[in-house]
Structure formats: C-alpha cells, structure tokens
Amino acid sequence: MAIQTRPQAGGATAAPPELAITAHDLVKTYRGGIRALDGLSLAVEAGTIFALLGPNGAGKSTTVRILTTLARPDAGSARVAGYDVVAQPDRVRRAIGYVSQKSAVDPEATGRENLTLQGRIYGLRGRELRQRVAELLERMGLADAADRVAGTYSGGMQRKLDILMGLIHRPRVLFLDEPTTGLDPEARAELWAEIARLAREEHLTVLLTTHYLEEADRLAHRLAIVDRGRTVVEGTPEQLKGELQGHTIRIELAAAVAEPRIQAALAPLPGLREVSLRDGAIYARADSGGAAIPAVLAALEASGVPVAAATVARPSLDDVYLRYVGRALDAATGKETGR
Amino acid sequence: MTSLAHTWHMTGRHLRNFSRQPWYIAFSLVQPVIYLLLFGALFKRVVELPGFATTSYVTYLTPGIVVMSALFSGGWLGVSVITDLERGVLDRFLVSPVWRGALIIGRVLQTALVTVIQSLILIGLGLLVGARFAGGAAQLVALIAAAMLLTAIFGALSCAVALALRKEESIIGVVQFLLLPLTFLSSVFMAPALMPGWMRQLARVNPLNWAVELGRAQPTAGDGSLLLSRGVALLALAAVATWLATRALRAYQRSL
C-alpha cells in the first residue's frame, strides 16, 4: 500500500501531502454473488494523475462507480475531495467530474447543447456559462463541430465531448473510466496529450482506469495494479519498474522445447531469476543482462536448445504486471492471456 | 429553487430533442385518427340506442379519442428512459447533483405539452367530421387538461416500469398488453349504460375513464362537481405516479 504520510525529518512541520481520494477496504458484491471488489484500498494525492490498471472485471469500473457516488459499497469507506461518498454524496457530486466507460453524450443534442445543459445542472448561467462552453470546445478542437448534433460525431470527438462534460464545472477531481478504449492509436495519443494538459491547466486530481499499460505509463504519476477486486501493488511507474532490478532477457527459440528442459539447463546459472517460457520465448531476469547473456546462450547450446534471437531490455510495466498478477495483460483487448 | 431550475432545464432538453423530430406527431396520430374516422363512421348509428346523451357519435367519440391518444403518448414514455439508460446519459446525470425528480418530471412535462398539440389536432379533425362541443371553450380546456393529466399519470408509470425492467423489449411488451384493454374498459367508444355490468364496474376505476368523463362534462351546464372530483382524482394520481417513478429511479441507482 501507499505510504500516505511520511514522517518529516528533524521535526519539521511541513504539511503532509493533501489526499484528494482515499478508499479503505471497499467491498462490493453484485447479485449472483459476483464479488467485484474484495477489500480494495487506495490513496491519491491532490493534483496528481493516478491510474488503476487491470484486466476487464478486475473491479476498476466498480471502484469508480463507488467513488463517484453512482454505486454504494457493501463495506468499507471512501472520501473524495474531503467528503464521504456514502454520507455526503451531494458534496462529492459537486466536487467531481465523471467520464464513464461508454460515451454518455446525448446524440440528439449538439455538442454545445450537451455542454450547456451539463453546466446548468451545476448552476452555471448566462455569459459565464456561454464563455466556459466556448472556451472548452475551442480547447478540445470541437469548436467547428459545436453546433452539429453529437450523433454525427466520430468516436474520438464524442469522447472529447464526454471529457469536456466532466470538466464544465471546474471539478477538483476528475474520474476517467477507460477514456481511450475503442479509439484508434492516433486518437488515443491525441487524447493522452489533452488529458495531461487539461489536468495541469485545471489543477485537477485525475483517477483514470485503463487496461493499456502504455496509457498508465505515459499519463500517471502513480498507479495501482488491480486484480480480482484488490490492489495488488501501488507506486510510481518508475518505482514499480525499478523494483524489478536489472534487465529482462528474452530468448526466442527456433523450435518448441518443453519448459522443464529449459529450467534444468538454466538452473545452475547464478544471478538468473524468474525463468519462464511463454509464446515460444524464454523470459528471465538478471542484474546485468549483458553479462548474463553469454552464459545463458552457452548453457542452452550445451543442452541442445535451438536459439533464434536474444534481446536484453529494461523492465516494462508489462513485466511488472506479469510479476504481480502472474498473468500477462493483453493490451489490445484487456483480456488476460494465459502463460 | 434548484429543483425548479433543474426541472426547467430537463424539460427544455426533451422539448428541444422533440423539436428536431416534429414528424413524430404525425406518426403518433396515425392510430387515433384511424379510430376517429373509421369507428366514427362504423358506429355512426349506435347513438340511436338509449344511453347516449348525444345524437352525434363523432361528438361522443372525439373526446374519447383525444384521451386515448394521451394515454398512448404517456404509455410509451418509458422507452425514452431506456434509451437514456443504454446511452449512459442517465448515469451521467445521476453522478451530477441534478434533482432526481427533474429526471422524471422533465420528460413527463414535455410529453404533456406534446399531448396538447396532439389534442388540438384531433379536436380540429373531430370538428371537421361533425363533432360539436356544447360546453364551448370551457369544455375544450377541461378536455385538454384531462388529457395532459392522463399523459402525466401513464408517462410517470411507464418511466417507473422502464426503470424496473430496464429492457426495451420488456417495456414494449408491458405497454402493448395494457393500452387497448385500458381503452376498451372505458366509455371511449361506448356509453356506460350499454356495457356489460362487469365492464362498467372496471371502467369506474379506470383513470382513462375519469379523463373521458372530464372531457365530456359541460362545465356551464351543472357538471361542476363531476369536473372537480375527476380533476382532483387525476391530479392526485399524477402526483403519486411521479413519486413512484422517482422511487424507481432511486431503486435503480441502489442496484448499481
């Protein structure tokens, strides 16, 4: 779990970082006994972008639904922007913006009308509202399409409008539930840039869920890997990758070989850890990949294992995910893939 | 004050979306117009039987068709809730501080206003084929008010059912099943005196029938107490139905 407050050295009285979101032991069971959340906890510092990373069904959306007051937890507690999500839902609602997993634009209204109505709900009026709407549409590049019915927008444009609707009332905390799922890579990269810029300009705390490792790596200051309704590990992307010391070695095999034979061949090598075989390649970790490779290749050759190629890489979030969840995350579909 | 403002904005949303598809009015009037013209012609001489207070069947029928059309408009309102639900629009509003009642009342008010337009068209058509309103403008106002209240009652109930069932096919099934029996178990087409006893009993507790009675009453000819009792009953029912629909909205959110 995250360290929420660090003791200050020398008795200095610097304030601990302000937490915009805290959740403790959230539990949620749906009808039919499906346990979506099983004691999930997290803490997000104000002004940062935090990512919940995990496969479909891990409990990410349920967490967001509880933190945004849409759903209620069966047990546990959570505070957002200083307010309790169960006891003070109205206070929470005024302080947050929410962009759901599925687009929630009204396709029969124009972009401007969608935004204007959303603003009015929060009490914005008159000139102030008109200016805010125009300014947001301009910033997301939707100004030209503003008076077209949103049903005619592309998926990427609808997603942008969704995000603007979450921002219209200048919330302190913004929840983005899989903001780029279903977008093509170009639209996705564009939206990442927009989200990062808006978060900075609007001094937002952002909690986003994703099953794209790259998205978490690119956007998030901190991330938590969620699996089966619990937080498995939490930290900055750099910390998490750093915990996997050294390098990842990948040896592509020229022909299929049984895993026990590989384990037997590589077991005697000192400094080689977490040896595994998946998709026709050997994966292992070593403090220094460059130093380990000659011994690995020699051992494989001695055992008659045919090698096609060998690479050494710094650990990626993929490796982090694999290590903590024990399964690989297929970023294209968000589905777990067996080893 | 916030609740009023939110209701105003939500009504505005539905009215604006409606104004983009004005042909909906024509579509929604097909069935009532067929009933008015074909039944009006087919049963022209039914008024010769004792029990009708008029000698013109279209005069008897037109208020009934106006009210039936109002029932249909209200009955299908739940489909718009399902649409909002499936598009995620409902959840977006539920995460906002919008007054929950506005999510129901906004669409009920819009539909009631559409009912006014439908009623005026049907009344005009009725006049063209020979219907007369002995109570004059006062009778027409009472008829349209009754139609609006009936739309509100069944519109809110339809929203409540939609929030409970959450599937378009289910709500369509329920509404299909109810609309025609409700219409025929009333004095829309036939004078109560000529109905079988059991039907007359059922018609007495049918809100649709209250609205028809209200629409046929002659405010200037001593039907004041009938107007008052039916009006109050419809108003109370509209309030209860709206409250029920708001409860259904909360129940929906609790199930998330």
Side-chain angles (χ1 to χ4, degrees), chain B residues 57-70:
Chain B
Y57 186 57
V58 283
T59 293
Y60 183 82
L61 184 62
T62 301
I65 295 297
V66 167
V67 166
M68 182 191 88
S69 162

Side-chain angles (χ1 to χ4, degrees), chain B residues 7-240:
Chain B
T7 305
W8 171 253
H9 297 317
M10 287 299 163
T11 310
R13 173 195 171 218
H14 295 294
L15 279 174
R16 189 192 55 221
N17 289 357
F18 171 77
S19 72
R20 299 226 157 97
Q21 334 184 330
W23 42 264
Y24 167 82
I25 289 255
F27 178 72
S28 71
L29 283 176
V30 169
Q31 217 176 349
V33 166
I34 288 176
Y35 273 103
L36 179 63
L37 298 182
L38 294 190
F39 271 64
L42 182 64
F43 292 126
K44 196 171 173 17
R45 295 185 59 194
V46 79
V47 281
E48 291 170 16
L49 294 167
F52 283 95
T54 167
T55 55
S56 155
Y57 186 57
V58 283
T59 293
Y60 183 82
L61 184 62
T62 301
I65 295 297
V66 167
V67 166
M68 182 191 88
S69 162
L71 168 76
F72 284 19
S73 288
W76 292 114
L77 186 55
V79 174
S80 80
V81 176
I82 305 270
T83 307
D84 269 358
L85 201 148
E86 284 173 349
R87 285 176 180 160
V89 173
L90 191 65
D91 284 359
R92 166 159 63 87
F93 287 142
L94 287 175
V95 168
S96 82
V98 73
W99 180 56
R100 279 21 185 175
L103 297 177
I104 301 296
I105 298 172
R107 58 185 92 231
V108 166
L109 274 181
Q110 177 256 323
T111 312
L113 289 173
V114 172
T115 292
V116 174
I117 304 173
Q118 289 168 328
S119 301
L120 288 172
I121 295 172
L122 288 170
I123 288 168
L125 198 65
L127 286 169
L128 274 180
V129 296
R132 292 296 173 261
F133 296 87
Q139 185 190 349
L140 292 181
V141 168
L143 169 61
I144 292 173
M148 289 177 78
L149 284 173
L150 199 69
T151 298
I153 292 167
F154 284 96
L157 288 178
S158 180
C159 292
V161 173
L163 285 164
L165 300 179
R166 296 174 207 176
K167 280 213 176 70
E168 192 166 328
E169 306 85 67
S170 314
I171 177 91
I172 288 175
V174 169
V175 174
Q176 290 274 33
F177 179 75
L178 287 176
L179 286 186
L180 282 184
L182 274 169
T183 308
F184 283 105
L185 291 171
S186 77
S187 62
V188 166
F189 298 108
M190 189 57 70
L194 298 170
M195 291 180 190
W198 65 272
M199 273 185 130
R200 192 162 52 239
Q201 293 307 316
L202 283 175
R204 282 178 56 176
V205 293
N206 182 353
L208 176 83
N209 197 53
W210 304 346
V212 181
E213 287 174 344
L214 219 169
R216 286 193 185 123
Q218 314 282 309
T220 46
D223 282 343
S225 66
L226 179 75
L227 276 173
L228 191 68
S229 68
R230 297 299 183 255
V232 168
L234 288 173
L235 203 60
L237 213 52
V240 170

Side-chain angles (χ1 to χ4, degrees), chain A residues 53-60 210-211 226-227 321 327 329 334-336:
Chain A
L53 180 67
N56 291 340
K60 307 187 300 288
T210 183
H211 53 239
V226 182
D227 186 46
Y321 187 87
R327 303 180 297 281
L329 185 73
K335 286 180 185 134
E336 292 164 18

Side-chain angles (χ1 to χ4, degrees), chain A:
Chain A
M1 263 320 299
I3 298 163
Q4 296 183 3
T5 51
R6 297 180 190 88
Q8 298 299 320
T13 52
E18 190 199 335
L19 292 175
I21 306 170
T22 55
H24 291 292
D25 296 330
L26 292 178
V27 175
K28 179 80 179 178
T29 308
Y30 284 112
R31 254 181 293 175
I34 302 153
R35 208 170 177 81
L37 291 183
D38 189 19
L40 184 136
S41 301
L42 59 85
V44 181
E45 274 181 35
T48 65
I49 300 181
F50 188 95
L52 284 179
L53 180 67
N56 291 340
K60 307 187 300 288
S61 285
T62 305
T63 305
V64 170
R65 282 160 164 258
I66 287 172
L67 294 176
T68 56
T69 76
L70 189 57
R72 290 163 69 100
D74 297 334
S77 65
R79 295 181 81 82
V80 173
Y83 303 112
D84 188 292
V85 294
V86 175
Q88 303 162 287
D90 280 333
R91 296 291 189 96
V92 173
R93 285 172 192 147
R94 296 200 164 274
I96 63 166
Y98 167 58
V99 178
S100 60
Q101 194 171 338
K102 250 178 24 185
S103 175
V105 304
D106 179 352
E108 291 164 43
T110 68
R112 196 187 304 279
E113 288 162 351
N114 264 293
L115 265 179
T116 303
L117 175 61
Q118 190 74 9
R120 284 193 172 135
I121 289 173
Y122 292 89
L124 297 175
R125 284 190 300 175
R127 229 165 74 109
E128 187 201 357
L129 174 60
R130 277 200 303 280
Q131 281 176 351
R132 175 76 174 155
V133 167
E135 170 208 331
L136 286 177
L137 287 166
E138 185 69 43
R139 279 210 315 215
M140 273 283 198
L142 289 178
D144 290 341
D147 296 310
R148 257 168 50 202
V149 167
T152 65
Y153 285 16
S154 69
M157 289 163 77
Q158 292 196 349
R159 217 60 195 126
K160 287 178 176 180
L161 184 56
D162 278 321
I163 293 175
L164 293 185
M165 283 198 281
L167 288 171
I168 184 80
H169 55 294
R170 301 180 200 277
R172 287 149 65 191
V173 182
L174 180 66
F175 292 89
L176 300 172
D177 198 358
E178 302 199 1
T180 66
T181 298
L183 297 185
D184 58 70
E186 198 182 331
R188 182 176 303 142
E190 193 188 335
L191 209 53
W192 285 344
E194 295 293 344
I195 291 169
R197 193 167 58 86
L198 286 169
R200 213 168 39 240
E201 287 174 3
E202 304 255 331
H203 308 290
L204 277 172
T205 306
V206 178
L207 185 142
L208 71 93
T209 76
T210 183
H211 53 239
Y212 296 113
L213 296 155
E214 196 190 350
E215 187 160 290
D217 210 356
R218 279 276 298 276
L219 279 177
H221 298 108
R222 292 180 74 84
L223 66 93
I225 292 175
V226 182
D227 186 46
R228 297 193 174 116
R230 304 176 70 98
T231 313
V232 181
V233 66
E234 197 209 307
T236 68
E238 293 317 311
Q239 266 173 3
L240 294 181
K241 285 185 273 187
E243 273 173 31
L244 302 175
Q245 286 167 8
H247 295 109
T248 301
I249 296 172
R250 182 174 179 276
I251 312 264
E252 209 175 300
L253 298 180
V257 178
E259 182 158 1
R261 199 164 134 215
I262 288 160
Q263 297 286 3
L266 298 180
L269 298 182
L272 200 65
R273 306 182 299 273
E274 299 170 36
V275 176
S276 68
L277 179 73
R278 59 187 159 101
D279 305 331
I282 301 169
Y283 289 83
R285 309 195 46 73
D287 291 337
S288 167
I293 278 270
V296 170
L297 292 177
L300 289 175
E301 194 180 356
S303 308
V305 177
V307 171
T311 49
V312 172
R314 294 214 160 274
S316 68
L317 271 185
D318 219 339
D319 298 312
V320 176
Y321 187 87
L322 181 67
R323 162 143 173 203
Y324 285 102
V325 181
R327 303 180 297 281
L329 185 73
D330 181 337
T333 61
K335 286 180 185 134
E336 292 164 18
T337 52
R339 295 172 76 159

